[in-house]
Amino acid sequence: MRDFKPEDVVGGYKEAVLDLYGGLRRVVFYTNIETPYPDGKLIVSTTDTNGIITHGNKAFVEMSGYTLDELIGSPHSILRHPDMPAVAFKDLWDTVSKGEHWQGIVKNLRKDGGYYWVKATVIPNIRQGKLVSYTSVRRKPSRTKVEECTVLYASLK
Amino acid sequence: MTYQFTVSPDFSPDHLSGWYIFNTWLQKQTGEGIHLEMYNSFQEQGTAIQNDGVDLIYANPFDAAMLVRDKGFCPLAKPVGVADEALIAVSADSAIYDVADLSLGTKIAMTDDPDVRMMGMMLLEPGDLSANNTQIIHCNAYILVAKQLLQGHADVGVFLAEAYDDLSGMIKSKLRVLVRSEISVIHHALMAGPNLAHRKEELQALLVAMGADDKGRDVLKNLGFEAWATVDHEDMEFMIDLMDALAV
């Protein structure tokens, strides 16, 4: 996965080491700068069955801060924020690998170290009865839900 | 055999004659008898589909999953440059400027257009609103949604963006848009049922060629768009997956 570069980060930052799905480790830099979710837009991305990004829409590029070329071929965990508890992603993978939809409020990490909150729905893409990929659709969450999850996720760390 | 053709009941009234003209064009091009039946409601249309009484349909995206996965329809084409988008509007003198400021019990005027309802409720989610904590005022047309706002009976209205844009300037001057969707990939599509599936490629070629032909363009003008683009099976599956994701 692409390394985090201090020169990409905007503002004062902290450092964290993340243990990601598939045995990956990543050093990330993160700030307290929130990018508000744009009204009316959907962020859409597709991964293969191993969680590697194969497609992303314009809103995905805009909100993540990465170029499409940087996103395609990267694990979806490139967006993982250190404030997100590992148990949330375990629940995600356990759910979608059973062929079911997963939905949750997620804090995502931008390339510039900032963050954005989303209401994410991940669905398995079944073709001719076979799992071929996953699609993640993100939309604007309510502030109430974000505040609830901020407290909840801190307690699960 | 006479094939049965129908158009999603949310078609614009301005395009009613256009669909009959399109059906005449289609019969001439294919040499087949095709009967156009316009249903008054999604419920009536749904009954006809369940009874296998539809062979060709200009379908609302909300029905695409059922048509493809349950009834064996295949996608043919979609209008070029036309996507279904929704918007939330209030009366111009409303004190609400952000969906997040709406409160539980908000009165929402909307039609029974299923994809617009779904997108509209999604746009209201940032205010913690859902069908369970709001009052829905059902309207038969978008002009009646506007009327509910102007008369103060509804707090917000859910519109198909295209229908809102087509309201008169006078009405729009008394309304204000709070939020408009920018989804881009949800669209109506012309779809063929199992009885017509064997002519899929031929139909797609005829439809795509319409945009390059004077007569064809005249027919399309009456439907409000300029050309058809083919939709392949994976494009349709992607849209169905997206609709599934938005429905929860």
Side-chain angles (χ1 to χ4, degrees), chain B residues 40-227:
Chain B
N40 289 322
S41 68
F42 282 94
Q43 197 177 1
E44 282 180 36
Q45 181 198 265
T47 303
I49 294 167
Q50 290 309 324
N51 293 335
D52 298 326
V54 174
D55 300 307
L56 185 68
I57 181 170
Y58 184 66
N60 185 287
F62 199 84
D63 292 324
M66 174 267 293
L67 288 164
V68 170
R69 293 177 181 172
D70 300 340
K71 303 303 287 184
F73 277 65
C74 60
L76 296 174
K78 65 177 179 181
V80 171
V82 180
D84 288 18
E85 301 286 0
L87 64 79
I88 305 295
V90 294
S91 169
D93 57 8
S94 167
I96 300 294
Y97 283 84
D98 189 327
V99 165
D101 297 332
L102 292 165
S103 52
L104 302 187
T106 290
K107 287 177 276 186
I108 308 168
M110 55 169 62
T111 68
D112 69 347
D113 187 347
D115 69 327
V116 175
R117 284 177 77 105
M118 187 190 69
M119 288 188 281
M121 292 314 293
M122 183 200 81
L123 293 173
L124 291 169
E125 279 180 351
D128 284 315
L129 300 184
S130 70
N132 297 327
N133 60 20
T134 53
Q135 296 178 54
I136 307 294
I137 300 171
H138 298 281
C139 301
N140 289 327
Y142 289 108
I143 185 69
L144 299 178
V145 174
K147 196 173 168 187
Q148 291 291 328
L149 292 174
L150 297 176
Q151 293 179 340
H153 299 317
D155 302 309
V156 298
V158 177
F159 291 85
L160 173 69
E162 184 187 355
Y164 182 88
D165 293 339
D166 287 345
L167 293 173
S168 74
M170 197 268 286
I171 291 175
K172 278 190 285 189
S173 71
K174 294 178 179 175
L175 300 174
R176 176 159 43 83
V177 176
L178 278 189
V179 57
R180 179 187 285 253
S181 72
E182 292 179 59
I183 298 172
S184 306
V185 288
I186 293 179
H187 55 77
H188 281 57
L190 194 63
M191 302 173 76
N195 290 336
L196 268 174
H198 64 289
R199 299 189 67 172
K200 178 185 170 183
E201 282 78 17
E202 178 195 349
L203 287 167
Q204 285 181 319
L206 286 169
L207 292 165
V208 170
M210 283 184 86
D213 168 74
D214 286 346
K215 176 72 181 160
R217 273 198 300 272
D218 282 347
V219 174
L220 291 175
K221 198 175 165 190
N222 291 303
L223 298 179
F225 52 91
E226 293 176 356

Side-chain angles (χ1 to χ4, degrees), chain A residues 17-72:
Chain A
V17 180
L18 304 179
D19 289 312
L20 304 173
Y21 179 78
L24 293 171
R25 294 201 105 196
R26 190 183 191 210
V27 177
V28 298
F29 307 122
Y30 62 106
T31 73
N32 284 325
I33 301 171
E34 178 171 9
T35 299
Y37 194 99
D39 284 329
K41 289 194 179 181
L42 289 184
I43 298 173
V44 182
S45 56
T46 303
T47 71
D48 64 17
T49 53
N50 294 314
I52 303 298
I53 299 167
T54 56
H55 166 270
N57 71 351
K58 196 175 159 199
F60 186 37
V61 171
E62 287 169 358
M63 287 301 284
S64 69
Y66 293 99
T67 66
L68 190 59
D69 283 347
E70 288 169 332
L71 291 167
I72 301 292

Side-chain angles (χ1 to χ4, degrees), chain A residues 40 123 125 127 139 142 144, chain B residues 125 128 182 234 241 245 248:
Chain A
I123 53 171
N125 304 130
R127 304 287 184 265
R139 57 222 224 212
S142 76
T144 319
Chain B
E125 279 180 351
D128 284 315
E182 292 179 59
E234 183 50 34
D241 283 340
V248 292

Side-chain angles (χ1 to χ4, degrees), chain A residues 2-11 66 70 111-113:
Chain A
R2 189 183 186 284
D3 286 333
F4 232 90
K5 294 178 184 165
E7 60 267 32
D8 290 334
V9 178
V10 177
Y66 293 99
E70 288 169 332
K111 180 182 177 181
D112 65 8

